[in-house]
Amino acid sequence: MTAALARFARRTALLTAAGSGIGEATAHRLAAEGASVVVTDVDAEAAHRVAEEIRVKGGQARSRRLDVTSPDEWAATVAEITARNRHLDVLHLNAGRNLPGAAHELDDASWHDQLRLSLDSVFYGVRATVPLLRAAGGAVVITSSIHAAIGFHGFPAYAAAKGGIGALVRQLAVEYGGEIRFNAVLPGAVVTALWAHTPAEYKARTAARTPVGRLGTPEDIAAAVAFLASDDASFITGQNLLVDGGRSISSHE
């Protein structure tokens, strides 16, 4: 590994919802740059698979099941990291849920479910890991969404949760000052499993509305997360970085 690709050597990174998509790509990216990664997901088998793939490539990884909406599971996860790694340098909070429906169509359960998984989980994760992150001078990167910046039909709960992340990132950056950095990435249209059954015509139309002329990949977002988590971004905190191929600045027509 060259020095240029060892930004996370001797560092421990904890990633949530890392059994697929953006979390999976970020786990591979941080491990490739030297991090010892703790791959967590509510799907224990998916987390195990990702960790095993990283180890096969020569990286350092282990997996753990984590329900990010459970404070008790957060406490147990942090206890394990404290015992095994003794430090935590990077936290990537990536969980979220998107259940479309206009405000008048959403029931209480759908509204609260989306906020709990996308926003409450961030609070639980930060609260549990602050002591370790403070000790390490760590960095937190949260996966938000383009929905936090512009409106789309049918996503009130998801937009509210992701918008809340933006405000929380600013608050946390002020609260913890020079001890911990907090930033968020706001992906645009990224091809993950959620897009598996999306009609080709819709994908093409979305790509055409994106100035770079294509949809994003999980690796595109992983690169941004790695930057914000690294010392290359040591003077950046409290920011919400759009990683959307320019979609948010283009015409919606």
Side-chain angles (χ1 to χ4, degrees):
M1 180 181 296
T2 66
L5 294 178
R7 292 184 294 183
F8 299 99
R10 297 178 297 281
R11 298 187 184 184
T12 300
L14 170 63
L15 304 95
T16 68
S20 63
I22 291 170
E24 178 180 4
T26 303
H28 279 279
R29 177 65 183 252
L30 296 183
E33 294 199 38
S36 174
V37 298
V38 182
V39 181
T40 73
D41 200 287
V42 72
D43 183 340
E45 291 185 3
H48 175 77
R49 174 187 58 78
V50 173
E52 180 63 22
E53 289 174 353
I54 289 170
R55 290 192 293 269
V56 167
K57 293 179 179 179
Q60 302 176 68
R62 70 176 187 275
S63 66
R64 180 182 174 89
R65 183 188 184 279
L66 173 60
D67 175 355
V68 293
T69 68
S70 169
D72 288 343
E73 290 199 21
W74 269 111
T77 299
V78 168
E80 180 185 284
I81 291 173
T82 301
R84 296 185 62 169
N85 298 86
R86 301 184 183 278
H87 60 95
L88 179 63
D89 307 275
V90 175
L91 175 64
H92 180 212
L93 297 167
N94 181 58
R97 179 168 295 150
N98 186 346
L99 302 173
H104 69 280
E105 298 171 334
L106 284 181
D107 57 26
D108 290 355
S110 294
W111 171 266
H112 290 296
D113 181 63
Q114 292 181 75
L115 265 66
R116 184 169 177 77
L117 187 59
S118 297
L119 183 56
D120 291 2
S121 66
V122 173
F123 168 67
Y124 295 145
V126 169
R127 182 176 64 181
T129 56
V130 156
L132 283 175
L133 290 165
R134 268 179 160 166
V140 179
V141 184
I142 305 164
T143 302
S144 179
S145 170
I146 191 176
H147 286 258
I150 60 177
F152 297 89
H153 289 290
F155 300 95
Y158 188 70
K162 296 302 186 179
I165 287 172
L168 185 55
V169 159
R170 291 189 292 272
Q171 173 65 26
L172 293 170
V174 171
E175 191 80 32
Y176 297 102
E179 298 177 303
I180 309 169
R181 292 187 302 105
F182 291 87
N183 292 288
V185 290
L186 282 64
V190 175
V191 180
T192 63
L194 293 174
W195 284 74
H197 303 294
T198 302
E201 186 274 333
Y202 181 82
K203 292 179 182 178
R205 186 168 68 250
T206 302
R209 291 178 174 178
T210 302
V212 300
R214 66 174 177 85
L215 302 178
T217 67
E219 289 73 22
D220 290 326
I221 312 305
V225 173
F227 165 66
L228 289 173
S230 76
D231 289 343
D232 289 336
S234 63
F235 202 54
I236 301 175
T237 193
Q239 301 305 306
N240 289 270
L241 177 64
L242 280 154
V243 189
D244 65 348
R247 179 69 179 87
S248 58
I249 61 168
S250 66
S251 170
H252 291 194
E253 296 178 359

